Coordinates of all heavy atoms in Angstrom, one line a residue:
M1 N -18.1 -40.7 -62.5 CA -17.4 -40.4 -63.8 C -16.4 -41.6 -64.1 O -15.6 -42.0 -63.3 CB -16.5 -39.1 -63.6 CG -16.3 -38.4 -64.9 SD -15.6 -36.8 -64.8 CE -16.0 -36.4 -63.1
K2 N -16.7 -42.1 -65.3 CA -15.8 -43.3 -65.7 C -15.3 -43.1 -67.1 O -16.0 -42.5 -67.9 CB -16.7 -44.5 -65.7 CG -16.7 -45.2 -64.3 CD -16.7 -46.7 -64.5 CE -15.9 -47.5 -63.5 NZ -15.7 -48.9 -63.7
C3 N -14.1 -43.6 -67.3 CA -13.5 -43.5 -68.6 C -13.7 -44.8 -69.3 O -13.6 -45.9 -68.7 CB -12.0 -43.2 -68.4 SG -11.2 -43.1 -70.0
I4 N -13.7 -44.8 -70.6 CA -13.9 -46.0 -71.4 C -12.7 -46.9 -71.4 O -12.8 -48.1 -71.7 CB -14.2 -45.7 -72.9 CG1 -13.2 -44.8 -73.6 CG2 -15.6 -45.1 -73.1 CD1 -13.1 -44.9 -75.0
T5 N -11.5 -46.3 -71.0 CA -10.4 -47.1 -70.8 C -10.5 -48.1 -69.6 O -9.7 -49.0 -69.5 CB -9.1 -46.3 -70.6 OG1 -9.2 -45.5 -69.4 CG2 -8.8 -45.4 -71.8
G6 N -11.4 -47.7 -68.7 CA -11.6 -48.5 -67.5 C -10.6 -48.2 -66.4 O -10.5 -48.8 -65.3
K7 N -9.7 -47.2 -66.7 CA -8.7 -46.8 -65.7 C -9.2 -45.9 -64.7 O -10.2 -45.1 -65.0 CB -7.5 -46.2 -66.5 CG -6.7 -47.2 -67.3 CD -5.5 -46.6 -67.9 CE -4.6 -47.6 -68.6 NZ -3.4 -47.0 -69.2
K8 N -8.6 -45.8 -63.6 CA -8.9 -44.8 -62.6 C -8.6 -43.4 -63.0 O -7.5 -43.2 -63.6 CB -8.2 -45.2 -61.3 CG -8.6 -44.4 -60.1 CD -7.9 -45.0 -58.8 CE -8.2 -44.3 -57.5 NZ -9.1 -43.2 -57.4
C9 N -9.5 -42.5 -62.8 CA -9.2 -41.1 -63.3 C -8.7 -40.2 -62.2 O -9.1 -40.3 -61.0 CB -10.6 -40.5 -63.7 SG -11.3 -41.3 -65.2
H10 N -7.7 -39.4 -62.5 CA -7.2 -38.5 -61.6 C -7.5 -37.1 -62.2 O -7.1 -36.9 -63.4 CB -5.7 -38.7 -61.4 CG -5.4 -40.0 -60.8 ND1 -5.5 -40.4 -59.5 CD2 -5.1 -41.2 -61.5 CE1 -5.2 -41.7 -59.3 NE2 -5.0 -42.2 -60.5
E11 N -8.1 -36.2 -61.4 CA -8.6 -34.9 -62.0 C -7.5 -34.0 -62.5 O -7.7 -33.4 -63.5 CB -9.5 -34.2 -61.0 CG -10.9 -34.6 -61.1 CD -11.8 -33.8 -60.1 OE1 -11.8 -32.6 -60.3 OE2 -12.5 -34.4 -59.3
T12 N -6.4 -34.0 -61.8 CA -5.4 -33.0 -62.2 C -4.0 -33.8 -62.3 O -3.9 -34.9 -61.7 CB -5.2 -31.8 -61.3 OG1 -4.7 -32.4 -60.0 CG2 -6.4 -31.1 -61.1
E13 N -3.1 -33.2 -63.0 CA -1.8 -33.8 -63.1 C -1.1 -33.9 -61.7 O -0.5 -34.9 -61.4 CB -0.9 -32.9 -63.9 CG 0.5 -33.5 -64.3 CD 1.3 -32.6 -65.3 OE1 0.9 -31.5 -65.5 OE2 2.2 -33.2 -65.8
E14 N -1.3 -32.9 -60.9 CA -0.8 -32.9 -59.5 C -1.3 -34.1 -58.7 O -0.6 -34.8 -58.0 CB -1.2 -31.6 -58.8 CG -0.2 -31.2 -57.8 CD -0.4 -29.7 -57.4 OE1 -1.6 -29.4 -57.2 OE2 0.5 -29.0 -57.1
L15 N -2.7 -34.3 -58.8 CA -3.3 -35.4 -58.0 C -2.8 -36.7 -58.5 O -2.6 -37.7 -57.8 CB -4.8 -35.3 -58.1 CG -5.5 -34.2 -57.3 CD1 -7.0 -34.1 -57.7 CD2 -5.3 -34.4 -55.8
A16 N -2.6 -36.8 -59.8 CA -2.1 -38.1 -60.4 C -0.7 -38.4 -60.0 O -0.4 -39.5 -59.7 CB -2.2 -38.0 -62.0
E17 N 0.1 -37.4 -59.9 CA 1.5 -37.6 -59.4 C 1.5 -38.0 -57.9 O 2.3 -38.9 -57.6 CB 2.3 -36.2 -59.5 CG 2.6 -35.9 -61.0 CD 3.2 -34.5 -61.1 OE1 3.3 -33.8 -60.1 OE2 3.6 -34.2 -62.2
E18 N 0.6 -37.4 -57.1 CA 0.5 -37.8 -55.7 C 0.1 -39.2 -55.6 O 0.6 -40.0 -54.8 CB -0.5 -36.9 -55.0 CG 0.1 -35.6 -54.4 CD -0.9 -34.8 -53.8 OE1 -1.9 -35.3 -53.2 OE2 -0.7 -33.5 -53.9
A19 N -0.9 -39.6 -56.4 CA -1.4 -40.9 -56.4 C -0.3 -42.0 -56.9 O -0.3 -43.1 -56.3 CB -2.7 -41.0 -57.3
L20 N 0.4 -41.5 -57.8 CA 1.5 -42.4 -58.3 C 2.5 -42.7 -57.2 O 3.0 -43.9 -57.0 CB 2.2 -41.8 -59.5 CG 3.3 -42.6 -60.2 CD1 2.7 -43.8 -60.9 CD2 4.0 -41.8 -61.3
I21 N 2.9 -41.7 -56.4 CA 3.8 -41.8 -55.3 C 3.2 -42.8 -54.3 O 3.8 -43.7 -53.8 CB 4.2 -40.4 -54.7 CG1 5.0 -39.6 -55.7 CG2 4.9 -40.6 -53.4 CD1 5.1 -38.2 -55.4
E22 N 2.0 -42.5 -53.9 CA 1.2 -43.4 -52.9 C 1.2 -44.8 -53.4 O 1.5 -45.7 -52.6 CB -0.2 -42.8 -52.8 CG -0.4 -41.6 -52.0 CD 0.1 -41.8 -50.5 OE1 -0.4 -42.8 -49.9 OE2 0.9 -41.0 -50.0
N23 N 0.9 -45.0 -54.7 CA 0.9 -46.3 -55.2 C 2.2 -47.0 -55.0 O 2.2 -48.2 -54.7 CB 0.6 -46.2 -56.8 CG 0.5 -47.6 -57.4 OD1 1.4 -48.2 -57.7 ND2 -0.8 -48.0 -57.7
H24 N 3.3 -46.3 -55.2 CA 4.6 -46.9 -55.1 C 5.0 -47.2 -53.6 O 5.8 -48.0 -53.3 CB 5.7 -46.1 -55.8 CG 5.8 -46.4 -57.2 ND1 6.7 -47.2 -57.8 CD2 4.9 -46.1 -58.2 CE1 6.5 -47.3 -59.1 NE2 5.4 -46.7 -59.4
I25 N 4.4 -46.5 -52.7 CA 4.6 -46.7 -51.3 C 3.8 -47.9 -50.8 O 4.3 -48.8 -50.0 CB 4.1 -45.4 -50.5 CG1 5.1 -44.3 -50.7 CG2 4.1 -45.8 -49.0 CD1 4.6 -42.9 -50.2
H26 N 2.6 -48.1 -51.3 CA 1.7 -49.2 -50.9 C 1.9 -50.5 -51.5 O 1.6 -51.5 -51.0 CB 0.2 -48.7 -51.0 CG -0.1 -47.6 -50.0 ND1 -0.4 -47.9 -48.7 CD2 -0.1 -46.3 -50.1 CE1 -0.7 -46.7 -48.1 NE2 -0.5 -45.7 -48.9
F27 N 2.4 -50.5 -52.7 CA 2.7 -51.7 -53.4 C 4.2 -51.9 -53.7 O 4.8 -50.9 -54.1 CB 1.9 -51.7 -54.8 CG 0.4 -51.6 -54.6 CD1 -0.2 -50.4 -54.8 CD2 -0.4 -52.6 -54.2 CE1 -1.6 -50.2 -54.6 CE2 -1.7 -52.5 -54.0 CZ -2.3 -51.3 -54.2
N28 N 4.6 -53.1 -53.6 CA 6.0 -53.3 -53.9 C 6.2 -53.8 -55.3 O 6.3 -55.0 -55.6 CB 6.6 -54.5 -53.0 CG 7.3 -53.9 -51.7 OD1 8.0 -52.9 -51.9 ND2 7.0 -54.5 -50.6
H29 N 6.2 -52.8 -56.2 CA 6.4 -53.1 -57.6 C 7.8 -53.6 -57.8 O 8.7 -52.9 -57.5 CB 6.1 -52.0 -58.5 CG 4.6 -51.4 -58.3 ND1 3.6 -52.2 -58.7 CD2 4.2 -50.3 -57.9 CE1 2.5 -51.5 -58.5 NE2 2.9 -50.3 -58.0
P30 N 8.0 -54.8 -58.4 CA 9.3 -55.1 -58.8 C 9.8 -54.1 -59.9 O 9.0 -53.6 -60.6 CB 9.2 -56.5 -59.4 CG 7.9 -57.0 -59.1 CD 7.0 -55.8 -58.8
K31 N 11.1 -54.0 -59.9 CA 11.7 -53.0 -60.9 C 11.2 -53.4 -62.3 O 11.2 -54.6 -62.7 CB 13.2 -53.0 -60.9 CG 13.8 -51.6 -60.7 CD 15.3 -51.7 -60.7 CE 15.9 -50.3 -61.0 NZ 15.2 -49.2 -60.2
G32 N 10.8 -52.4 -63.0 CA 10.3 -52.6 -64.4 C 8.8 -53.1 -64.5 O 8.4 -53.4 -65.6
S33 N 8.1 -53.0 -63.4 CA 6.7 -53.3 -63.5 C 5.9 -52.2 -62.7 O 6.5 -51.4 -62.0 CB 6.4 -54.7 -63.0 OG 6.4 -54.7 -61.6
G34 N 4.6 -52.3 -62.8 CA 3.8 -51.3 -62.1 C 3.7 -50.0 -62.8 O 4.4 -49.8 -63.8
P35 N 2.8 -49.1 -62.4 CA 2.7 -47.9 -63.1 C 3.9 -47.0 -62.9 O 4.4 -46.9 -61.8 CB 1.5 -47.2 -62.5 CG 1.3 -47.8 -61.1 CD 1.9 -49.2 -61.3
I36 N 4.4 -46.3 -63.9 CA 5.6 -45.6 -63.8 C 5.5 -44.1 -64.2 O 6.3 -43.3 -64.1 CB 6.8 -46.2 -64.6 CG1 6.4 -46.4 -66.0 CG2 7.3 -47.5 -64.0 CD1 7.6 -46.6 -66.9
N37 N 4.3 -43.9 -64.9 CA 4.1 -42.5 -65.3 C 2.6 -42.2 -65.4 O 1.8 -43.1 -65.2 CB 4.8 -42.3 -66.7 CG 5.2 -40.9 -66.9 OD1 4.7 -39.9 -66.4 ND2 6.2 -40.7 -67.7
I38 N 2.3 -41.0 -65.7 CA 0.9 -40.6 -65.9 C 0.7 -40.0 -67.3 O 1.7 -39.5 -67.9 CB 0.4 -39.6 -64.8 CG1 1.4 -38.3 -64.9 CG2 0.5 -40.2 -63.4 CD1 0.9 -37.2 -64.0
Y39 N -0.5 -40.0 -67.8 CA -0.7 -39.3 -69.1 C -2.2 -38.7 -69.1 O -3.0 -39.2 -68.4 CB -0.6 -40.2 -70.2 CG -1.6 -41.3 -70.3 CD1 -2.7 -41.1 -71.2 CD2 -1.5 -42.5 -69.6 CE1 -3.7 -42.1 -71.3 CE2 -2.5 -43.5 -69.6 CZ -3.6 -43.3 -70.5 OH -4.6 -44.2 -70.6
L40 N -2.3 -37.7 -69.9 CA -3.6 -37.0 -70.1 C -4.3 -37.8 -71.1 O -3.9 -38.1 -72.2 CB -3.4 -35.6 -70.6 CG -4.6 -34.7 -70.8 CD1 -5.4 -34.6 -69.5 CD2 -4.3 -33.4 -71.3
C41 N -5.6 -38.3 -70.7 CA -6.3 -39.1 -71.5 C -7.2 -38.3 -72.5 O -7.8 -37.3 -72.2 CB -7.3 -39.9 -70.6 SG -8.4 -41.1 -71.5
E42 N -7.2 -38.8 -73.7 CA -7.9 -38.0 -74.8 C -9.4 -38.4 -74.7 O -10.2 -37.6 -75.4 CB -7.3 -38.4 -76.2 CG -7.5 -39.8 -76.5 CD -6.8 -40.1 -77.9 OE1 -6.1 -39.2 -78.4 OE2 -6.9 -41.2 -78.4
H43 N -9.8 -39.4 -74.0 CA -11.2 -39.8 -73.9 C -11.9 -39.0 -72.9 O -13.1 -38.6 -73.0 CB -11.4 -41.3 -73.7 CG -10.7 -42.1 -74.8 ND1 -11.2 -42.1 -76.1 CD2 -9.6 -42.9 -74.8 CE1 -10.4 -42.9 -76.8 NE2 -9.4 -43.4 -76.0
C44 N -11.3 -38.9 -71.7 CA -12.0 -38.4 -70.5 C -11.4 -37.0 -70.1 O -12.1 -36.3 -69.3 CB -12.1 -39.4 -69.4 SG -10.5 -39.6 -68.6
G45 N -10.3 -36.6 -70.6 CA -9.7 -35.3 -70.2 C -9.0 -35.4 -68.8 O -8.7 -34.4 -68.2
H46 N -9.0 -36.6 -68.2 CA -8.4 -36.7 -66.9 C -7.0 -37.5 -67.1 O -6.7 -37.9 -68.2 CB -9.2 -37.5 -65.9 CG -10.5 -36.7 -65.5 ND1 -11.7 -37.0 -65.9 CD2 -10.5 -35.6 -64.8 CE1 -12.6 -36.1 -65.4 NE2 -11.9 -35.2 -64.7
Y47 N -6.3 -37.7 -65.9 CA -5.0 -38.3 -66.0 C -5.1 -39.8 -65.5 O -5.9 -40.1 -64.6 CB -4.0 -37.6 -65.1 CG -3.6 -36.3 -65.7 CD1 -4.4 -35.2 -65.5 CD2 -2.4 -36.2 -66.5 CE1 -4.0 -33.9 -66.1 CE2 -2.1 -35.0 -67.0 CZ -2.8 -33.9 -66.8 OH -2.5 -32.7 -67.4
H48 N -4.4 -40.7 -66.2 CA -4.4 -42.1 -65.8 C -2.9 -42.5 -65.6 O -2.0 -41.8 -66.1 CB -4.9 -43.0 -66.9 CG -6.3 -42.7 -67.3 ND1 -7.3 -42.6 -66.3 CD2 -6.9 -42.5 -68.5 CE1 -8.5 -42.4 -67.0 NE2 -8.2 -42.3 -68.3
F49 N -2.7 -43.6 -64.9 CA -1.4 -44.2 -64.8 C -1.1 -45.0 -66.1 O -1.9 -45.5 -66.8 CB -1.4 -45.3 -63.7 CG -1.5 -44.7 -62.3 CD1 -1.7 -45.5 -61.2 CD2 -1.3 -43.4 -62.1 CE1 -1.8 -45.0 -59.9 CE2 -1.4 -42.8 -60.8 CZ -1.7 -43.7 -59.7
T50 N 0.2 -45.1 -66.4 CA 0.7 -46.0 -67.4 C 1.9 -46.7 -67.0 O 2.7 -46.1 -66.2 CB 0.9 -45.2 -68.7 OG1 1.4 -46.1 -69.7 CG2 1.9 -44.1 -68.5
S51 N 2.1 -47.9 -67.5 CA 3.4 -48.7 -67.2 C 4.3 -48.6 -68.4 O 5.4 -49.2 -68.4 CB 3.0 -50.1 -66.9 OG 2.3 -50.7 -67.9
Q52 N 3.9 -47.8 -69.4 CA 4.6 -47.7 -70.7 C 5.6 -46.5 -70.6 O 5.2 -45.5 -70.0 CB 3.7 -47.5 -71.9 CG 2.6 -48.6 -72.0 CD 3.1 -49.9 -72.4 OE1 3.9 -50.1 -73.3 NE2 2.8 -51.0 -71.6
G53 N 6.7 -46.6 -71.4 CA 7.5 -45.4 -71.6 C 8.5 -45.1 -70.5 O 8.8 -46.1 -69.7
E54 N 8.9 -43.9 -70.4 CA 10.0 -43.5 -69.4 C 9.3 -43.3 -68.1 O 8.2 -42.8 -68.0 CB 10.7 -42.2 -69.9 CG 11.5 -42.4 -71.1 CD 12.7 -43.3 -70.8 OE1 13.4 -43.0 -69.8 OE2 13.0 -44.2 -71.6
P55 N 10.0 -43.6 -66.9 CA 9.5 -43.3 -65.6 C 9.4 -41.8 -65.4 O 10.2 -41.0 -65.9 CB 10.5 -43.9 -64.7 CG 11.3 -44.9 -65.5 CD 11.3 -44.4 -66.9
H56 N 8.3 -41.4 -64.7 CA 8.1 -40.0 -64.4 C 9.3 -39.5 -63.4 O 9.7 -40.3 -62.6 CB 6.8 -39.9 -63.6 CG 6.3 -38.5 -63.5 ND1 6.9 -37.5 -62.8 CD2 5.2 -38.0 -64.0 CE1 6.2 -36.4 -62.9 NE2 5.1 -36.6 -63.6
Y57 N 9.7 -38.3 -63.7 CA 10.9 -37.8 -62.9 C 10.6 -37.7 -61.5 O 11.4 -37.8 -60.6 CB 11.2 -36.4 -63.4 CG 10.3 -35.3 -63.0 CD1 10.4 -34.6 -61.9 CD2 9.2 -34.9 -63.9 CE1 9.5 -33.6 -61.5 CE2 8.3 -34.0 -63.5 CZ 8.4 -33.4 -62.3 OH 7.5 -32.4 -61.9
I58 N 9.2 -37.6 -61.1 CA 8.9 -37.5 -59.7 C 9.2 -38.7 -58.9 O 9.5 -38.6 -57.7 CB 7.4 -37.0 -59.6 CG1 7.2 -36.3 -58.3 CG2 6.5 -38.3 -59.6 CD1 6.0 -35.4 -58.2
L59 N 9.2 -39.9 -59.6 CA 9.5 -41.1 -58.9 C 11.0 -41.1 -58.5 O 11.4 -41.6 -57.4 CB 9.3 -42.3 -59.8 CG 7.8 -42.7 -59.9 CD1 7.6 -43.8 -60.9 CD2 7.1 -42.9 -58.6
E60 N 11.8 -40.6 -59.3 CA 13.3 -40.4 -59.0 C 13.5 -39.4 -57.9 O 14.2 -39.6 -57.0 CB 14.0 -40.0 -60.3 CG 15.5 -39.9 -60.2 CD 16.1 -41.3 -60.0 OE1 15.7 -42.3 -60.6 OE2 17.1 -41.4 -59.2
E61 N 12.8 -38.3 -58.1 CA 12.9 -37.1 -57.2 C 12.5 -37.5 -55.8 O 13.0 -37.1 -54.8 CB 12.0 -36.0 -57.7 CG 12.3 -34.6 -57.1 CD 11.4 -33.6 -57.8 OE1 11.7 -33.2 -59.0 OE2 10.5 -33.1 -57.2
K62 N 11.4 -38.4 -55.7 CA 10.8 -38.8 -54.4 C 11.2 -40.1 -54.0 O 10.7 -40.7 -53.0 CB 9.3 -38.7 -54.5 CG 8.7 -37.4 -54.9 CD 8.6 -36.5 -53.6 CE 7.9 -35.3 -53.9 NZ 7.8 -34.3 -52.8
A63 N 12.3 -40.7 -54.6 CA 12.7 -42.0 -54.4 C 13.0 -42.3 -52.9 O 12.6 -43.3 -52.3 CB 13.9 -42.4 -55.2
S64 N 13.7 -41.3 -52.2 CA 14.1 -41.5 -50.8 C 12.9 -41.4 -49.9 O 12.7 -42.1 -48.9 CB 15.2 -40.5 -50.4 OG 14.8 -39.2 -50.7
Y65 N 12.0 -40.5 -50.3 CA 10.7 -40.3 -49.6 C 9.9 -41.6 -49.6 O 9.4 -42.1 -48.6 CB 9.9 -39.2 -50.1 CG 8.5 -39.1 -49.6 CD1 8.2 -38.6 -48.3 CD2 7.4 -39.5 -50.4 CE1 6.9 -38.5 -47.8 CE2 6.1 -39.5 -49.9 CZ 5.9 -38.9 -48.6 OH 4.5 -38.9 -48.2
I66 N 9.8 -42.2 -50.8 CA 9.0 -43.5 -51.0 C 9.7 -44.5 -50.2 O 9.0 -45.3 -49.5 CB 9.0 -43.8 -52.5 CG1 8.1 -42.8 -53.3 CG2 8.5 -45.2 -52.7 CD1 8.2 -42.9 -54.8
A67 N 11.0 -44.6 -50.2 CA 11.7 -45.7 -49.5 C 11.4 -45.5 -47.9 O 11.2 -46.5 -47.2 CB 13.2 -45.6 -49.8
A68 N 11.5 -44.2 -47.4 CA 11.3 -43.9 -46.0 C 9.8 -44.3 -45.6 O 9.6 -44.9 -44.6 CB 11.5 -42.5 -45.8
Q69 N 8.9 -44.0 -46.5 CA 7.5 -44.3 -46.2 C 7.3 -45.8 -46.1 O 6.5 -46.3 -45.3 CB 6.6 -43.7 -47.2 CG 6.5 -42.2 -47.2 CD 6.0 -41.7 -45.9 OE1 4.9 -42.0 -45.4 NE2 6.7 -40.8 -45.1
K70 N 7.9 -46.6 -47.0 CA 7.9 -48.0 -47.1 C 8.4 -48.6 -45.8 O 7.8 -49.5 -45.2 CB 8.7 -48.6 -48.3 CG 7.8 -48.7 -49.5 CD 8.6 -49.4 -50.6 CE 7.7 -49.6 -51.7 NZ 8.3 -50.0 -52.9
R71 N 9.5 -48.1 -45.3 CA 10.1 -48.6 -44.1 C 9.2 -48.3 -42.9 O 9.0 -49.2 -42.1 CB 11.5 -47.9 -43.8 CG 12.6 -48.6 -44.6 CD 14.0 -48.2 -44.0 NE 14.2 -46.8 -44.1 CZ 14.7 -46.2 -45.2 NH1 15.0 -46.9 -46.2 NH2 15.0 -44.9 -45.2
A72 N 8.6 -47.1 -42.9 CA 7.6 -46.8 -41.8 C 6.5 -47.8 -41.8 O 6.0 -48.2 -40.8 CB 7.1 -45.4 -42.0
R73 N 6.0 -48.1 -43.0 CA 4.9 -49.1 -43.1 C 5.3 -50.5 -42.7 O 4.5 -51.2 -42.0 CB 4.4 -49.1 -44.6 CG 3.6 -47.9 -44.9 CD 3.1 -48.1 -46.4 NE 2.4 -49.4 -46.6 CZ 1.1 -49.5 -46.2 NH1 0.4 -48.6 -45.8 NH2 0.5 -50.7 -46.4
D74 N 6.5 -50.9 -43.0 CA 7.0 -52.1 -42.6 C 7.0 -52.2 -41.1 O 6.6 -53.2 -40.5 CB 8.5 -52.4 -43.0 CG 8.5 -52.8 -44.5 OD1 7.4 -53.1 -45.0 OD2 9.6 -52.9 -45.0
W75 N 7.4 -51.2 -40.4 CA 7.5 -51.2 -38.9 C 6.1 -51.2 -38.3 O 5.9 -52.0 -37.4 CB 8.3 -50.0 -38.4 CG 9.7 -50.2 -38.4 CD1 10.7 -49.7 -39.2 CD2 10.4 -51.1 -37.5 NE1 11.9 -50.2 -38.9 CE2 11.8 -51.0 -37.9 CE3 10.0 -51.9 -36.5 CZ2 12.7 -51.8 -37.2 CZ3 10.9 -52.7 -35.9 CH2 12.3 -52.6 -36.2
E76 N 5.2 -50.5 -38.9 CA 3.8 -50.6 -38.4 C 3.3 -51.9 -38.5 O 2.6 -52.4 -37.6 CB 2.9 -49.7 -39.3 CG 2.7 -48.2 -38.8 CD 2.0 -47.4 -39.9 OE1 1.1 -47.8 -40.4 OE2 2.5 -46.2 -40.1
Y77 N 3.6 -52.6 -39.6 CA 3.1 -54.0 -39.8 C 3.7 -54.9 -38.8 O 3.0 -55.7 -38.2 CB 3.5 -54.4 -41.2 CG 3.0 -55.8 -41.6 CD1 1.7 -56.0 -41.9 CD2 3.9 -56.9 -41.6 CE1 1.3 -57.3 -42.2 CE2 3.5 -58.2 -41.9 CZ 2.1 -58.3 -42.3 OH 1.7 -59.6 -42.6
R78 N 5.0 -54.7 -38.5 CA 5.6 -55.7 -37.5 C 5.2 -55.4 -36.1 O 5.2 -56.3 -35.3 CB 7.2 -55.4 -37.6 CG 7.9 -56.2 -38.6 CD 9.3 -55.9 -38.7 NE 9.8 -55.8 -40.0 CZ 10.9 -55.2 -40.4 NH1 11.6 -54.6 -39.6 NH2 11.2 -55.1 -41.7
L79 N 4.8 -54.2 -35.8 CA 4.3 -53.9 -34.4 C 2.9 -54.3 -34.1 O 2.4 -54.2 -33.0 CB 4.5 -52.4 -34.2 CG 5.9 -51.9 -34.1 CD1 6.0 -50.4 -34.1 CD2 6.7 -52.5 -32.9
R80 N 2.2 -54.7 -35.2 CA 0.8 -55.1 -35.0 C 0.6 -56.4 -34.2 O 1.5 -57.2 -34.3 CB 0.1 -55.3 -36.4 CG -1.0 -54.3 -36.5 CD -1.5 -54.3 -37.9 NE -1.3 -53.0 -38.5 CZ -1.3 -52.8 -39.9 NH1 -1.4 -53.8 -40.7 NH2 -1.2 -51.6 -40.3
Ligands
ZN101 ZN1 -9.6 -41.5 -69.6

């Protein structure tokens, strides 16, 4: 299943939110860049990331979780 926007599709809002959190754990987006929200696509009916508009509340809500996961990843990397 592919969308004409070429963006990755997330089947539900919940899955898109999880993926957004994962994305912020795995990539060090400088402040003001990277995907910050999700939206329902009118072309495919699935959810995509967007870097436009206001940040999703879940990024604020999960900020400490994201930071903790990042630190955990840093340690894994150093111990390799
Ligand atoms: Zn789409």
Side-chain angles (χ1 to χ4, degrees):
M1 209 170 337
K2 268 217 148 190
C3 178
I4 57 161
T5 60
K7 292 183 171 183
K8 190 174 178 359
C9 295
H10 302 278
E11 272 186 57
T12 66
E13 188 173 14
E14 209 170 38
L15 286 172
E17 287 172 357
E18 272 176 34
L20 185 64
I21 291 166
E22 284 296 309
N23 183 283
H24 278 255
I25 291 168
H26 291 277
F27 300 99
N28 265 317
H29 299 298
K31 231 180 161 50
S33 78
I36 54 166
N37 210 334
I38 57 172
Y39 70 96
L40 182 59
C41 180
E42 61 184 9
H43 301 292
C44 68
H46 291 111
Y47 288 84
H48 302 309
F49 291 166
T50 179
S51 56
Q52 309 286 311
E54 291 292 311
H56 197 293
Y57 73 88
I58 207 157
L59 288 177
E60 185 67 39
E61 197 176 286
K62 300 277 185 182
S64 57
Y65 169 78
I66 290 169
Q69 292 296 305
K70 270 189 172 165
R71 275 198 298 276
R73 284 182 55 83
D74 279 353
W75 275 109
E76 269 172 43
Y77 182 76
R78 274 176 223 161
L79 291 172
R80 240 171 242 160

